[in-house]
Amino acid sequence: MTFALRTLAFRLLQAAGVALVVGVMSFLMMRAMPGDMAFRIAAARYGYDLASADLAEAVRTELNLDAGPLVLFGQWMADLARLDLGRSMVSGLPVWEEIAHQLGASLQLAAVALGLSLLIGPPLGIYAGLRAGGRFDRALLVAAAALRAVPQFLLGLVLIVVLAVQLRLLPAAGHGDISHLVLPALTLALGLAAASARIARDAMAAFAASPAHAFACTKGLSDGQVLLHHGLRAIAAPLLTYLGLQFVLLAEGVVVVETIFGWPGIGHALIHAVFHRDVPMVQGTALVMGLSFVLLNTLIDLAVRRIDPREVRA
Amino acid sequence: MTLLQAKDITVRTGAERLLDPVSLTLPAGRAVTVLGESGSGKSLLAQAILGTLPRGLVADGELRVGETKLDPARPQGSRALWGRQIAVLPQEPWLALDPLMTGHYQLAEVFDLVAADPRPGRRAKADLAELGLEGAGGKYPWQLSGGMAQRLAFAAARAGGARITVADEPTKGLDSDRRDDVLALLRRGLEGGGLLTITHDLTLAAGLGGEILVMQGGTVVERGPAERVLTAPEHPYTRALIAADPAHWPRPDPMPETAPLLRAEGFTVARDGRSLFAPLDFTLSPGQILAVAGPSGCGKSSLGNALLGLLPHQGRLWRDPALPKLAFQKLWQDPPAAFPARITLAEGLDDLLARHRIDRVRVAPLLDRLKLSPDLLARRPGAVSGGELQRIALLRALLLDPAVLFADEPTSRLDPVTQALTIRLMVEIGRESGMAMVIVSHDHALLEAISDRVIRLTPI
Amino acid sequence: MTTRHLGFGLLGALVALALIGPLIEPLGPFKQTLLRALAGPDALAWFGYDHLGRSMFARLSQALRLSLTIAFAATATAAALGIFLGALASWRGGWLDRGLSLLADSVLALPALLMVLMMGVILPSTPLAFWAGLAAVQWIEFFRLTRSVARSQLASPAVEAARLQGFGPVWVFRRILWPEIGPMLRTATAFGVANAIAAIAALGFVSVGMRAPTPELGLMMVELLPSWREAPFALLQPVAACFALLLSLNLIAGGRE
């Protein structure tokens, strides 16, 4: 119980930290933009079409915009604290509404990519880790290093050229049926698989060299039984923890891959918003990405604790 | 009845022979014990018989377990015997048990998967109760005491129905209080079965009886019935091994009380606001040796660190104000950890000489006195044996002319003969130079053999 | 050991190309010879021409120079900041340590690309935005590394021994901490530079990084992509350069550490 409370307290602080960093950056973005601040806020509130000089003037008096940066910053952060993200400066729709639409598409893509990477990575890693130093292990190491040297956008490019343009197996871009999902998901999954294979391999090799592995064998269990009853348990916790940290990589990949493949998710929206200097949308997407990381890692903390209840000493 | 017969077992790596031919027979109900220090080849012998040699090492010879003939050169064949015919008691069981699984399941899975028992859960429960482990079933290994983990590992190793037990260093890392428990456990394994024990522990070997093989440098130098080997050893090495047992050490002359270096009254150490042990009164005079004993975790090390001023203390502590700060020095349990890992010993020593303007000519006689070769200093701490490194740590301390030396388990990671040498040098130098020592150890016989006074800590 | 040397060799060759290339080639990255668009190598343009008839060699060496400069500057800034704050946090402890750790954990939740994009809106120049955004994320790795090594080492018997023997904090840092941290820093630096280069190229590729006509690896790829059938080698050049750069840095970082 105390562990769960401590985890929650830490993750809540982290979430507040994320919101603070995103809020400060967004405020600076707002101030760095050319033109009249009052007009931009009016546009953010009511949409570009409705914003006029009168509305801007009303905003200026209401928000006390001549009050100086500190007061304005306080107001900005107060809005954020109430989770009031305003409206998109491009579409005029509330930011939450926009994000709610896109988040589903991104989650779908991320989940398929993650599932695919778990099917590829850990089994290879486990096999290599059981024979650490062997031929397969070394080959996997080289393959993973080469894959790491290919950035995700380049991997996507190669897959498009080979599978979509040359072989015409799959559509290159779009959103709709399952075939559209394959290429972007595969692009994301390959990078993640390389990473999870390495973690699984290291954890498995560490377990295979441990006295716990030796004892499980001399108790009389077969290799398969040792792996099933003890090995998987031993690699689950480090793998989960690592996946939690890799979420940033996944989010980064989502941004790039969605843009390349025209997948209408949150990463696509972010690039779009940056392109149009739509600060409320940038703030919204950044906040959602950061808070998703915190939420996911909270769940992973609790799951890892169930698998490995040893007290982690600070 | 013969349970296991090994004939001319050897171990090679490439062209180099690490183990000369050894033959042994395990009869039912009579223990066979292999005695030796690390590097003597005793563990290689056990691994060759079990088929657990590390990669790159090749065994040869003839092996028969019950009716089955095995080829030690092809260790895969032994796998089928593990758990079913041969129970392997692991070294340091608290590391060998799966840290992520509760005790009950670690035992029950053997009944289920190895012995194919129809009611594995019930059998596991019964076994746990028999060994006094009723409460341990729902706990994880790291929640168990060392002794409980040992009993759980013993039960799990034997649950497959094996009649032969092989125990490799079963007392390694255990307090001497626990030794009797291990002895009782191994005797259970002996009832109607065979027992092969690998150890450096003379007391354990004496307690088990049966046959003893003494090994040195990959060769059996002496073998015979336990009573004969331990009381009338023939080979010089066996004699040295027995002389290294603290119980056989010559007692140093007692050191009289003189003007004390430090005096403690109502002295204790607190952690998280709680005192670790009941308040103590003691004094320490030049040349005296004060021994500190007590169960693990009761604050023995904290006491010594507080005397050095490394930890805050409670109660009164008077230290002779004429003594400089450098007069309080320390030896650590794990010698490699006490040196900067990535510079050579000479570099560290040069820094020390320069820092305190110590004359370099003092080093050579000290090296000689501590039986250390000067060549060792060119190495990094990781490339020097534990016994040598601990003596270099002593040398490093002696250069600072310490008045009080706190030795925290200084020899618990050393072999018996090395331990005897190290302790003898420490005691002699202390008596010669008037350096007082505070020694912490879990080995009561050692403390009794060298100290002027033993303090037993009682936890509160 | 040999793969590491290979990495240094490859990186050295690319750095040489980036440093010397622009000095010795005659055309410059912006001069257009439209008649030679997508043509192969000749005496002036040693690697051929792009779709606007600009020298590929000139553009490639300039692009490498840009990526390497930004990446090294960002990682060096991040390393200096992270090591300083990490040492400070483990030395002083208390609220300072907790505050810095919380800040690190908060920034850790934000992808580096996001940070760069936000900096791009705030700061007036794109290279400056890359530098600031990448450094703002990368300092965390150096901070955490330094902090964890320092914390475990400061609690070790070796440091206790040093104190009892009268050595000060400078000696402890020079003889115990630095030799432990040093090798890890090489790995972290190599990965940091590699991530920075990948980030610059990725944002260029999705058109929110460097702007045309600046020669930049990702931007060059997206510009040459439409004509990949006519001039596959032109497209292959920035792709190969990017891959070689990242591969060399990964080899330097070492397989597993």
Side-chain angles (χ1 to χ4, degrees):
Chain A
M1 198 56 214
T2 49
F3 174 83
L5 280 180
R6 252 183 300 137
T7 301
L8 286 181
F10 166 71
R11 292 297 178 187
L12 272 177
L13 267 178
Q14 192 187 20
V18 168
L20 187 70
V21 172
V22 170
V24 169
M25 297 287 286
S26 304
F27 179 72
L28 291 175
M29 282 194 278
M30 207 64 186
R31 288 195 66 88
M33 275 169 62
D36 183 14
M37 180 112 175
F39 189 84
R40 284 200 307 276
I41 294 177
R45 276 192 185 173
Y46 313 109
Y48 253 106
D49 301 338
L50 295 173
S52 66
D54 289 347
L55 273 175
E57 210 46 50
V59 166
R60 193 187 311 281
T61 27
E62 181 207 329
L63 294 183
N64 205 7
L65 278 188
D66 300 321
L70 270 182
V71 177
L72 294 180
F73 178 66
Q75 285 169 358
W76 182 271
M77 295 309 287
D79 282 347
L80 183 58
R82 290 197 313 272
L83 292 176
D84 175 3
L85 296 180
R87 285 165 184 271
S88 159
M89 290 165 136
V90 175
S91 69
L93 292 171
V95 168
W96 279 121
E97 212 170 284
E98 291 258 355
I99 288 179
H101 273 142
Q102 293 138 355
L103 194 59
S106 284
L107 287 180
Q108 187 190 20
L109 176 62
V112 173
L114 195 63
L116 212 54
S117 78
L118 286 180
L119 284 180
I120 304 169
L124 292 176
I126 289 170
Y127 187 78
L130 283 172
R131 291 158 189 79
R135 208 173 295 162
F136 183 81
D137 184 30
R138 282 182 308 217
L140 187 72
L141 181 68
V142 172
L147 206 57
R148 240 199 338 247
V150 183
Q152 268 168 335
F153 76 90
L154 208 53
L155 197 63
L157 180 67
V158 172
L159 289 179
I160 289 180
V161 167
V162 175
L163 293 179
V165 181
Q166 287 292 66
L167 302 176
R168 296 182 188 284
L169 285 177
L170 293 159
H175 176 57
D177 63 282
I178 188 100
S179 65
H180 288 112
L181 192 55
V182 177
L183 274 187
L186 192 64
T187 307
L188 281 174
L190 282 179
L192 288 176
S196 59
R198 203 172 55 83
I199 297 299
R201 180 259 170 220
D202 287 355
M204 195 66 223
F207 174 68
S210 72
H213 179 262
F215 185 48
C217 290
T218 53
K219 279 202 299 192
L221 304 186
S222 72
D223 279 338
Q225 288 165 339
V226 172
L227 178 65
L228 210 63
H229 292 255
H230 299 279
L232 293 185
R233 221 180 263 254
I235 66 164
L239 195 60
L240 269 177
T241 307
Y242 183 76
L243 280 180
L245 288 174
Q246 285 302 297
F247 177 79
V248 179
L249 207 76
L250 182 65
E252 223 163 72
V254 162
V255 171
V256 173
V257 167
E258 283 184 355
T259 311
I260 295 175
F261 291 94
W263 187 263
I266 195 167
H268 191 252
L270 172 70
I271 296 289
H272 207 67
V274 167
F275 201 81
H276 293 282
R277 296 290 189 267
D278 185 351
V279 174
M281 272 303 288
V282 174
Q283 170 171 275
T285 45
L287 197 64
V288 167
M289 283 187 184
L291 293 184
S292 313
F293 175 91
V294 176
L295 179 68
L296 182 76
N297 277 279
T298 311
L299 298 177
I300 284 182
D301 279 352
L302 298 175
V304 165
R305 174 73 176 186
R306 277 197 72 90
I307 298 168
D308 184 355
R310 273 176 292 186
E311 197 69 43
V312 182
R313 278 165 214 273
Chain B
M1 193 178 89
T2 300
L3 294 170
L4 180 147
Q5 194 164 33
K7 216 175 142 200
D8 294 332
I9 302 289
T10 61
V11 174
R12 279 178 300 110
T13 167
E16 192 191 352
R17 192 150 83 176
L18 302 176
L19 181 68
D20 293 330
V22 182
S23 302
L24 61 84
T25 305
L26 277 193
R30 187 173 145 86
V32 175
T33 306
V34 183
L35 203 56
E37 300 197 307
S38 52
S40 66
K42 64 184 195 301
S43 284
L44 287 180
L45 174 62
Q47 289 167 344
I49 290 173
L50 293 171
T52 56
L53 279 173
R55 219 175 276 177
L57 302 188
V58 186
D60 209 348
E62 285 173 41
L63 191 59
R64 205 162 53 78
V65 177
E67 302 304 310
T68 323
K69 261 192 126 114
L70 292 166
D71 183 359
R74 268 189 281 275
Q76 303 89 313
S78 322
R79 180 86 191 243
L81 305 180
W82 294 352
R84 293 166 181 85
Q85 305 225 28
I86 304 180
V88 187
L89 200 59
Q91 274 188 21
E92 302 184 88
W94 42 97
L95 298 179
L97 292 163
D98 187 339
L100 307 181
M101 198 185 254
T102 54
H104 176 82
Y105 285 106
Q106 307 212 29
L107 181 53
E109 71 169 358
V110 186
F111 283 119
D112 182 16
L113 301 170
V114 181
D117 194 286
R119 317 190 69 166
R122 177 180 281 219
R123 285 287 304 273
K125 232 178 198 154
D127 258 27
L128 288 177
E130 205 183 341
L131 288 166
L133 291 171
E134 291 91 344
K139 286 190 179 164
Y140 291 92
W142 39 270
Q143 293 172 317
L144 302 176
S145 70
M148 287 165 89
Q150 186 115 37
R151 277 175 277 160
L152 177 61
F154 178 79
R158 290 171 46 85
R163 292 187 64 198
I164 303 166
T165 306
V166 178
D168 191 0
E169 293 281 12
T171 54
K172 187 177 170 187
L174 280 181
D175 285 3
S176 50
D177 309 357
R178 297 252 73 91
R179 206 191 269 142
D180 296 340
D181 296 354
V182 175
L183 196 54
L185 216 50
L186 292 178
R187 286 223 181 93
R188 285 175 83 102
L190 209 49
E191 288 162 16
L195 174 67
L196 176 63
T197 309
I198 313 295
T199 187
H200 68 268
D201 190 329
L202 288 171
T203 318
L204 183 74
L208 288 170
E211 187 188 12
I212 286 184
L213 288 76
V214 182
M215 291 193 67
Q216 185 198 17
T219 310
V220 175
V221 293
E222 181 165 1
R223 70 192 295 170
E227 309 80 61
R228 207 274 300 150
V229 172
L230 294 175
T231 51
E234 283 163 8
H235 194 273
Y237 179 73
T238 316
R239 270 183 236 143
L241 205 57
I242 289 167
D245 186 0
H248 300 121
W249 289 356
R251 308 280 146 147
D253 299 327
M255 202 68 185
E257 296 274 340
T258 49
L261 297 164
L262 57 82
R263 184 185 304 123
E265 284 164 18
F267 182 86
T268 182
V269 182
R271 187 184 296 150
D272 302 328
R274 281 185 47 230
S275 300
L276 290 172
F277 47 84
L280 300 167
D281 298 331
F282 57 87
T283 61
L284 193 60
S285 302
Q288 280 193 328
I289 298 176
L290 177 70
V292 183
S296 55
C298 72
K300 299 192 290 278
S301 300
S302 301
L303 181 148
N305 285 336
L307 289 179
L308 295 182
L310 291 169
L311 282 180
H313 60 267
Q314 295 184 328
R316 286 181 44 174
L317 174 66
W318 174 88
R319 304 205 298 188
D320 185 350
L323 294 174
K325 258 188 94 178
L326 290 174
F328 293 85
Q329 292 297 325
K330 177 174 173 182
L331 293 182
W332 285 262
Q333 176 176 22
D334 185 20
F339 287 86
R342 295 183 189 254
I343 62 173
T344 65
L345 296 166
E347 284 174 298
L349 215 52
D350 286 347
D351 284 354
L352 187 70
L353 296 176
R355 175 77 182 79
H356 299 295
R357 299 205 181 80
I358 301 167
D359 197 344
R360 178 170 296 277
V361 298
R362 289 183 57 194
V363 176
L366 273 174
L367 280 171
D368 195 47
R369 180 75 185 84
L370 291 167
K371 301 185 192 306
L372 288 164
S373 156
D375 310 339
L376 290 175
L377 296 182
R379 300 189 205 163
R380 289 192 182 184
V384 178
S385 77
E388 287 163 334
L389 202 54
Q390 194 61 287
R391 276 176 279 149
I392 293 171
L394 181 58
L395 180 147
R396 190 172 68 166
L398 290 173
L399 284 172
L400 299 169
D401 303 313
V404 177
L405 181 73
F406 167 43
D408 189 359
E409 301 265 16
T411 56
S412 65
R413 310 232 168 140
L414 307 183
D415 279 321
V417 175
T418 317
Q419 163 170 290
L421 171 70
T422 309
I423 294 283
R424 182 168 61 79
L425 286 169
M426 282 173 65
V427 172
E428 284 175 11
I429 289 171
R431 292 293 199 242
E432 287 162 15
S433 64
M435 174 180 73
M437 274 184 278
V438 179
I439 294 193
V440 161
S441 172
H442 63 259
D443 188 339
H444 296 314
L446 185 152
L447 294 179
E448 294 291 348
I450 61 167
S451 64
D452 296 293
R453 195 174 150 204
V454 181
I455 294 178
R456 271 176 209 286
L457 296 190
T458 35
I460 45 176
Chain C
M1 213 53 204
T2 48
T3 59
R4 187 159 295 148
H5 290 149
L6 199 71
F8 274 116
L10 195 55
L11 183 66
L14 290 161
V15 169
L17 180 64
L19 288 181
I20 303 168
L23 301 178
I24 57 168
E25 65 83 36
L27 290 175
F30 304 116
K31 176 155 174 30
Q32 297 187 10
T33 317
L34 282 172
L35 282 174
R36 304 281 301 150
L38 298 174
D42 61 22
L44 289 174
W46 305 327
F47 286 1
Y49 295 85
D50 74 357
H51 60 300
L52 296 175
R54 295 173 296 194
S55 162
M56 280 302 294
F57 181 84
R59 292 183 67 74
L60 200 64
S61 53
Q62 284 283 6
L64 280 172
R65 185 184 269 199
L66 179 78
S67 288
L68 283 167
T69 308
I70 296 176
F72 273 109
T75 307
T77 309
L81 194 68
I83 294 169
F84 172 72
L85 292 178
L88 190 70
S90 47
W91 191 264
R92 299 289 297 274
W95 283 107
L96 184 76
D97 184 26
R98 265 175 261 175
L100 282 171
S101 298
L102 183 64
L103 180 65
D105 282 324
S106 304
V107 179
L108 187 72
L110 299 171
L113 287 186
L114 183 71
M115 214 59 165
V116 173
L117 288 172
M118 293 200 285
M119 286 288 184
V121 180
I122 296 170
L123 294 172
S125 109
T126 316
L128 204 61
F130 272 117
W131 170 77
L134 291 168
V137 172
Q138 289 191 352
W139 71 276
I140 298 169
E141 176 71 16
F142 293 94
F143 170 79
R144 288 159 66 101
L145 206 71
T146 309
R147 183 171 169 272
S148 76
V149 172
R151 279 170 67 111
S152 69
Q153 288 292 323
L154 288 179
S156 73
V159 171
E160 200 176 275
R163 289 215 180 109
L164 282 174
Q165 289 156 24
F167 288 112
V170 175
W171 189 87
V172 169
F173 184 82
R174 196 165 60 86
R175 288 301 209 188
I176 301 178
L177 284 187
W178 185 249
E180 293 290 335
I181 299 175
M184 293 188 206
L185 288 186
R186 189 195 54 217
T187 304
T189 305
F191 276 136
V193 173
N195 289 339
I197 284 169
I200 298 168
L203 290 188
F205 191 79
V206 296
S207 312
V208 284
M210 300 303 298
R211 307 277 164 74
T214 312
E216 191 276 318
L217 294 173
L219 203 53
M220 289 169 72
M221 290 181 218
V222 79
E223 286 168 353
L224 290 162
L225 190 56
S227 34
W228 74 278
R229 276 185 203 280
E230 297 95 300
F233 282 106
L235 172 60
L236 213 54
Q237 282 173 39
V239 170
C242 186
F243 177 73
L245 206 48
L246 295 179
L247 186 68
S248 71
L249 289 162
N250 272 305
L251 290 178
I252 292 169
R256 35 184 83 112
E257 254 166 291

